[in-house]
Amino acid sequence: MIKSKIISWLMSRLDIGKLDKMFVRVPIVKIVYKFLIQRTINYDFPTHIFVESTSVCNFRCKMCPRTEGDILVGNMDFAIFKKVIDEAGQYGPRSFSLYLFGEPLLAPQIIEMVKYIKQSNPDNVVVITTNGSLLTKEKSEALVDSQVDKLAVSFVSPNKETYLEKTGIDKLEQVEKNIEQLIAVKNEKKSAKPLIFARMIVGHDTAKQAGEFVKKWKGKKVAVELRDMHNYGGHIQESYVKNTRRYPCYHPWLAPAIHWNGDFTICCTDYERKTLLGNIKEKTIHEMWTGEKIKNYRKLHLQGKYSQISPCSNCDVWNIYSDLFFNWQKR
């Protein structure tokens, strides 16, 4: 329980991605880091869960798999949501990302969901990633009052024309104003939460714009993040991953996903549900997280047999965070 509280505290206050990149630069620190990260793995219940509050979206981003294939569209029923949070409550503080393949601010009960997570356990961490177009003053006030821990607004470019071309929506200037409004609301309410991220998803054709993006948000009370574009299991061609030496992905150990209809999969990129472990309407998360299917997926990852798992064979989302495992564990 103490370990869970420490993890939750770190998740709510730190930029985990930045820490990951910093620690792996020094060999001896990298060893210690791997050891500590492995201590955060919980084989009884996931440390972090992506909970798809909705799969509805108001953007048509070219880099999103929903533009290439069929996405089951719907909103998570609150009864399903409660079942997830209630079960999580048996295992101590956890962190939850309330998004997957939709725009979470379109979820009819998104504020109620945040409040329920916090009521279940005040040490739970809530993360929301949004395109920011619906971040009105009213919504900003509700999010601040609900004490969301982290709110990341995703951009594809700091350039208006490029933004429109990639998202299909002319909303860049409005989104930028919405973030500034959220900052103002935080100041008015004297709230430390949420930690606001201005995040740019960097692709081959926008890499040269990254410096402009950082400059635009520097000194504006937001955490600026550059994240390389991944290929969603090989379904899109705009990946910007630089590391080609494959290693096991963190998702099967740390961060599975629950789709709006209750389907439980090993990864947030599996929009086709090919690594389906079951449905929470029929099984508990504990049963699926400790079952033979997930154990086999982990074994195949450690053995480097990614081709035997359909969504993993050509995926590069593993590159977002560094390798969690030592070589002796992969033999």
Side-chain angles (χ1 to χ4, degrees), residues 62-220:
K62 288 185 175 181
M63 73 295 299
C64 181
R66 64 184 301 123
T67 62
E68 298 293 329
D70 294 328
I71 293 282
L72 291 178
V73 178
N75 302 309
M76 179 171 280
D77 185 85
F78 205 74
I80 295 177
F81 177 80
K82 287 179 66 177
K83 188 175 187 293
V84 173
I85 307 307
D86 290 348
E87 185 183 349
Q90 303 172 38
Y91 298 92
R94 289 294 185 267
S95 59
F96 303 89
S97 289
L98 300 185
Y99 58 92
L100 205 54
F101 295 107
E103 166 50 51
L105 298 188
L106 282 171
Q109 295 177 288
I110 188 66
I111 301 301
E112 288 81 359
M113 288 177 168
V114 176
K115 289 180 178 179
Y116 193 81
I117 291 173
K118 289 297 186 178
Q119 288 169 4
S120 174
N121 189 327
D123 292 323
N124 282 336
V125 175
V126 183
V127 182
I128 290 178
T129 294
T130 170
N131 60 41
S133 64
L134 303 173
L135 200 56
T136 62
K137 185 175 182 181
E138 181 182 11
K139 189 72 74 174
S140 293
E141 290 175 343
L143 288 168
V144 172
D145 289 341
S146 68
Q147 289 294 279
V148 167
D149 295 276
K150 294 183 180 180
L151 189 141
V153 181
S154 288
F155 293 85
V156 291
S157 170
N159 177 274
K160 184 176 180 179
E161 289 72 26
T162 306
Y163 186 94
L164 172 60
E165 188 268 331
K166 287 191 168 293
T167 66
I169 304 290
D170 185 14
K171 289 283 186 179
L172 177 61
E173 293 176 347
Q174 182 61 57
V175 172
E176 291 173 343
K177 289 178 182 177
N178 289 349
I179 294 179
E180 292 175 356
Q181 182 174 249
L182 175 60
I183 295 170
V185 169
K186 277 183 63 178
N187 291 338
E188 289 170 9
K189 292 179 175 290
K190 298 180 180 179
S191 175
K193 296 181 180 180
L195 174 62
I196 305 170
F197 283 76
R199 173 186 295 162
M200 179 178 168
I201 308 300
V202 182
H204 285 286
D205 56 345
T206 58
K208 292 181 179 179
Q209 299 177 1
E212 179 187 347
F213 181 81
V214 173
K215 184 178 180 181
K216 177 180 284 191
W217 289 103
K218 187 177 181 180
K220 291 192 176 181

Side-chain angles (χ1 to χ4, degrees), residues 23-66:
F23 286 144
V24 298
R25 292 173 184 169
V26 183
I28 187 64
V29 176
K30 187 176 181 179
I31 292 172
V32 176
Y33 181 62
K34 285 187 178 184
F35 176 82
L36 292 175
I37 287 295
Q38 288 190 33
R39 301 285 76 75
T40 70
I41 297 172
N42 188 304
Y43 290 99
D44 288 321
F45 196 90
T47 302
H48 181 86
I49 307 179
F50 287 84
V51 181
E52 188 173 47
S53 53
T54 182
S55 63
V56 179
C57 190
N58 58 336
F59 276 31
R60 294 288 296 175
C61 299
K62 288 185 175 181
M63 73 295 299
C64 181
R66 64 184 301 123

Side-chain angles (χ1 to χ4, degrees), residues 254-285:
L254 289 171
I258 300 175
H259 294 258
W260 66 269
N261 66 343
D263 284 341
F264 187 77
T265 60
I266 67 170
C267 180
C268 65
T269 66
D270 185 15
Y271 76 94
E272 294 179 306
R273 298 164 167 82
K274 290 186 176 180
T275 57
L276 190 65
L277 300 174
N279 190 290
I280 64 167
K281 297 175 188 175
E282 302 159 357
K283 297 181 179 179
T284 65
I285 295 173

Side-chain angles (χ1 to χ4, degrees), residues 210-237:
E212 179 187 347
F213 181 81
V214 173
K215 184 178 180 181
K216 177 180 284 191
W217 289 103
K218 187 177 181 180
K220 291 192 176 181
K221 296 185 179 179
V222 300
V224 182
E225 180 183 19
L226 301 176
R227 181 171 291 188
D228 294 338
M229 189 179 299
H230 63 80
N231 67 8
Y232 286 96
H235 286 285
I236 64 170
Q237 305 302 315

